[in-house]
């Protein structure tokens, strides 16, 4: 058992002290809402590493669950183990923050929710990319109507190194980029288009590096289009074999277009200030002339940047603790987790059938 917590902070234990477990541990160690009781990893070398950094290391998962000072268990293990650990923790009376993707199938997610409902414990998933400022800028544009009605959003992330050569390349561990990054980008798009109804989905997965480099069965990226009842649509793309990246976000509205080229850059908007133009000069493009595709001038458009939205990812933990006390709703709602996972299931189905899937899902 760890030392009695003498503050009002909630005791937290991290299960899985790998890459992301290190992030949660460092966060908990300096958090204003939780206090770190300790970490547990199945590998002794990881436990030793935790100790060498001054953290308490439990010698078993059972020891974590038996510690009365632990109110919150954070599950940061490979994806295939999330369900069993989360359920054991809730059965032991702990609230649970689980890393994304919680699980790979909706039925498994429902099993977790059933245990949360039965035990009365709070179960949430660390959808930390809801605090990404690029995504928040896109959401702000739809919510404010600054560039009018939104026709479409394109959300992309591109790398060039294939899937990491760890469990992410193994199907049995829940590998592949759909589960790794898709779960974030789909969640973001559904938050941007809150209030819409999804009507259709098409997805094409990439197995490029899987086929000739890493030889795994897991997707190393995908392209997905989600259609909404209003006629708007979202294009989501994850690539790990892109030696030139496309913009992080591109959004078209009735009064202008917004672009974020890269994570580090601000959102740039070109707004249409006057639809009609006088004397458009044709431009030479390749072997022909065009007026249609000639760029606008600054008489009918205005280009400007917007400030990055204010964001603090630690608000996730703050909200979780307040929700544990019953004083706030959890930011990450169960139905939001379920709809994202359902779309992931449908994406694999769309790819397998080579079809656009038609259905109705209110978001
Ligand atoms: P990792 O391989 O670096 O670390 C996983 C750790 O879990 C390893 O140290 C391993 O020994 C340990 N482990 C495995 N099975 C265990 C068990 N049964 N009990 C205790 N320890 C066990 O992986 P990672 O990159 O840290 O990813 C872990 C989780 O975090 C994954 O679900 C991943 O999707 C998620 N993740 C989330 C983000 C984010 O931004 N939200 C970023 C990275 C990873």
């Amino acid at each position: 058992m760890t030392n009695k917590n003498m503050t009002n902070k909630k005791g937290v234990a991290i299960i899985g002290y790998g890459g992301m477990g290190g992030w949660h541990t460092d966060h908990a160690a300096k958090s204003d809402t939780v206090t770190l009781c300790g970490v547990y990893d199945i590998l002794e070398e990881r436990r030793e590493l935790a100790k060498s950094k001054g953290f308490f290391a439990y010698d078993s998962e059972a020891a974590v669950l038996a510690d009365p000072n632990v109110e919150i268990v954070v599950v940061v293990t490979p994806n295939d183990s999330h369900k069993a650990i989360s359920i054991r923790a809730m059965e032991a009376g702990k609230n649970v923050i689980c890393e994304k993707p919680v699980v790979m199938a909706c039925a498994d997610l429902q099993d977790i929710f059933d245990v949360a409902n039965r035990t009365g414990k709070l179960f949430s998933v660390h959808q930390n990319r809801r605090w990404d400022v690029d995504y928040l800028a896109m959401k702000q544009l739809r919510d404010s109507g600054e560039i009018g009605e939104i026709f479409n959003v394109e959300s992309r992330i591109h790398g060039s190194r294939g899937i990491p050569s760890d469990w992410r390349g193994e199907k049995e561990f829940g590998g592949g980029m759909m589960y790794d990054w898709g779960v974030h980008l789909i969640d973001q798009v559904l938050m941007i288009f809150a209030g819409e109804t999804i009507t259709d989905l098409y997805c094409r997965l990439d197995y490029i590096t899987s086929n000739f480099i890493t030889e795994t069965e897991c997707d190393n990226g995908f392209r997905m289009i989600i259609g909404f009842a209003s006629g708007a649509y979202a294009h989501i793309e994850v690539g790990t074999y892109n030696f030139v990246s496309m913009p992080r976000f591109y959004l078209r509205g009735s009064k202008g277009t917004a672009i974020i080229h890269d994570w580090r850059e601000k959102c740039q908007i070109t707004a249409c200030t006057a639809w009609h133009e006088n004397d458009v000069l044709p431009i030479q493009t390749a072997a022909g002339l065009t007026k249609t595709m000639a760029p606008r001038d600054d008489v009918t458009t205005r280009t400007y940047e917007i400030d990055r939205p204010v964001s603090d990812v630690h608000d996730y933990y703050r909200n979780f603790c307040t929700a544990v006390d019953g004083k706030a709703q959890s930011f990450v709602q169960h139905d939001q987790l379920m709809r994202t996972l359902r779309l992931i299931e449908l994406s694999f189905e769309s790819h397998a059938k080579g079809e656009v899937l038609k259905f109705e899902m209110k978001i």
Side-chain angles (χ1 to χ4, degrees):
M1 194 203 308
T2 48
N3 290 335
K4 185 98 185 112
N5 175 15
M6 301 303 285
T7 68
N8 289 329
K9 296 180 184 179
K10 298 193 186 306
V12 69
I14 315 293
I15 296 187
Y17 188 62
M20 197 59 191
W23 185 94
H24 283 280
T25 304
D26 292 344
H27 162 263
K30 53 182 187 241
S31 165
D32 48 25
T33 40
V34 296
T35 184
L36 182 68
C37 295
V39 304
Y40 168 65
D41 196 287
I42 204 163
L43 293 180
E44 191 181 349
E45 70 207 51
R46 300 300 301 180
R47 300 198 294 273
E48 289 304 319
L49 179 67
K51 283 184 203 166
S52 74
K53 294 191 174 186
F55 302 126
F56 177 80
Y58 297 89
D59 57 14
S60 67
E61 182 192 301
V64 175
L65 302 188
D67 184 346
N69 293 324
V70 174
E71 274 188 75
I72 301 168
V73 165
V74 186
V75 182
V76 205
T77 54
N79 302 340
D80 63 310
S81 53
H82 291 173
K83 177 180 174 180
I85 299 174
S86 297
I87 288 178
R88 284 195 292 271
M90 287 188 285
E91 297 283 12
K94 311 300 184 191
N95 301 289
V96 171
I97 293 173
C98 183
E99 262 304 342
K100 47 50 64 173
V102 202
V103 280
M104 280 64 73
C106 292
D108 290 320
L109 185 55
Q110 189 56 53
D111 289 344
I112 295 176
F113 292 164
D114 290 346
V115 175
N117 292 337
R118 177 166 51 74
T119 57
K121 293 292 133 190
L122 190 61
F123 175 82
S124 176
V125 174
H126 190 230
Q127 292 289 163
N128 53 324
R129 294 203 169 273
R130 286 193 191 179
W131 281 266
D132 282 356
V133 289
D134 46 23
Y135 144 73
L136 288 170
M138 293 292 113
K139 180 162 172 49
Q140 184 179 301
L141 284 180
R142 179 166 185 268
D143 293 349
S144 68
E146 183 169 337
I147 54 171
E149 184 192 338
I150 303 305
F151 302 139
N152 73 305
V153 169
E154 298 181 21
S155 169
R156 292 185 173 83
I157 50 143
H158 287 159
S160 63
R161 294 178 183 83
I163 313 177
S165 57
D166 56 11
W167 55 267
R168 284 174 180 77
E170 309 273 338
K171 201 166 185 177
E172 63 183 291
F173 293 106
M177 284 296 119
M178 176 61 81
Y179 292 124
D180 199 38
W181 275 96
V183 70
H184 282 305
L185 301 198
I186 295 170
D187 180 66
Q188 289 182 341
V189 152
L190 300 187
M191 297 300 288
I192 292 170
F193 283 101
E196 276 274 15
T197 299
I198 301 174
T199 52
D200 51 277
L201 175 147
Y202 177 72
C203 183
R204 186 84 188 229
L205 293 141
D206 283 344
Y207 292 90
I208 305 170
T209 54
S210 323
N211 290 337
F212 70 94
I213 298 179
T214 50
E215 289 182 10
T216 87
E217 293 174 287
C218 299
D219 70 281
N220 70 289
F222 63 87
R223 286 160 191 233
M224 177 193 297
I225 294 183
I226 302 172
F228 301 104
S230 67
Y233 63 94
H235 174 121
I236 302 174
E237 188 177 313
V238 173
T240 53
Y241 201 68
N242 304 57
F243 295 90
V244 175
S245 295
M246 301 273 278
R248 171 71 189 91
F249 270 112
Y250 179 82
L251 176 147
R252 286 185 307 149
S254 55
K255 296 181 186 166
T257 306
I259 192 162
I260 300 178
H261 288 282
D262 182 272
W263 316 90
R264 289 157 291 223
E265 289 179 30
K266 284 186 175 177
C267 176
Q268 191 181 69
I269 293 173
T270 296
C272 182
T273 49
W275 176 249
H276 293 288
E277 300 167 290
N278 300 321
D279 304 328
V280 179
L281 288 177
I283 54 158
Q284 177 80 37
T285 54
L289 287 176
T290 177
K291 262 189 184 183
T292 315
M293 301 304 169
R296 289 262 185 171
D297 59 22
D298 56 11
V299 176
T300 61
T301 58
R302 182 171 78 89
T303 296
Y304 59 100
E305 289 182 339
I306 55 170
D307 288 336
R308 285 166 198 268
V310 176
S311 169
D312 180 358
V313 70
H314 301 308
D315 283 344
Y316 174 84
Y317 268 87
R318 294 185 187 112
N319 165 259
F320 186 84
C321 290
T322 319
V324 166
D325 290 336
K327 294 180 183 154
Q329 262 212 331
S330 187
F331 281 154
V332 181
Q333 293 285 302
H334 286 189
D335 60 332
Q336 296 170 343
L337 296 167
M338 188 60 90
R339 72 192 187 188
T340 297
L341 198 54
R342 180 72 190 122
L343 292 189
I344 289 178
E345 283 186 342
L346 289 167
S347 299
F348 285 107
E349 185 182 332
S350 169
H351 175 83
K353 291 181 172 165
E355 285 175 9
V356 177
L357 303 180
K358 307 234 177 217
F359 56 95
E360 268 197 16
M361 185 193 283
K362 181 105 180 64
I363 58 170

